[in-house]
Amino acid sequence: ALASFTRACELRPDDTRSHDYRSRSLRELGRWDDALAAAERAVALDPDDTGALTALAHTLRGLNRVEEA
């Protein structure tokens, strides 16, 4: 799944959902710093997207940065 979402981000760099799903995939692989970057990109693209905000919160929590989540 990660390869597909990475490719989607390359093809459509302004697509919030692709970055959101890429973040989720990276989190599942334990690649927390990469997941954070992808989640932050998704939120930057659409600050009102609840999926992107949720992905960011879960990632921050996984990084033990609960106060920021």
Side-chain angles (χ1 to χ4, degrees):
L2 177 58
S4 295
F5 293 130
T6 298
R7 183 68 178 141
C9 291
E10 292 168 355
L11 294 172
R12 296 179 55 188
D14 295 331
D15 181 54
T16 302
R17 191 67 49 217
S18 296
H19 292 282
D20 175 11
Y21 291 151
R22 183 169 183 270
S23 173
R24 294 167 192 250
S25 295
L26 288 161
R27 236 182 22 245
E28 289 178 17
L29 295 171
R31 294 176 52 188
W32 293 97
D33 291 331
D34 294 329
L36 179 60
E40 288 176 333
R41 174 70 175 142
V43 171
L45 289 169
D46 187 352
D48 297 321
D49 186 286
T50 57
L53 290 167
T54 300
L56 179 59
H58 285 297
T59 304
L60 287 168
R61 193 173 56 180
L63 288 165
N64 201 31
R65 292 168 57 179
V66 178
E67 66 285 346
E68 296 174 60

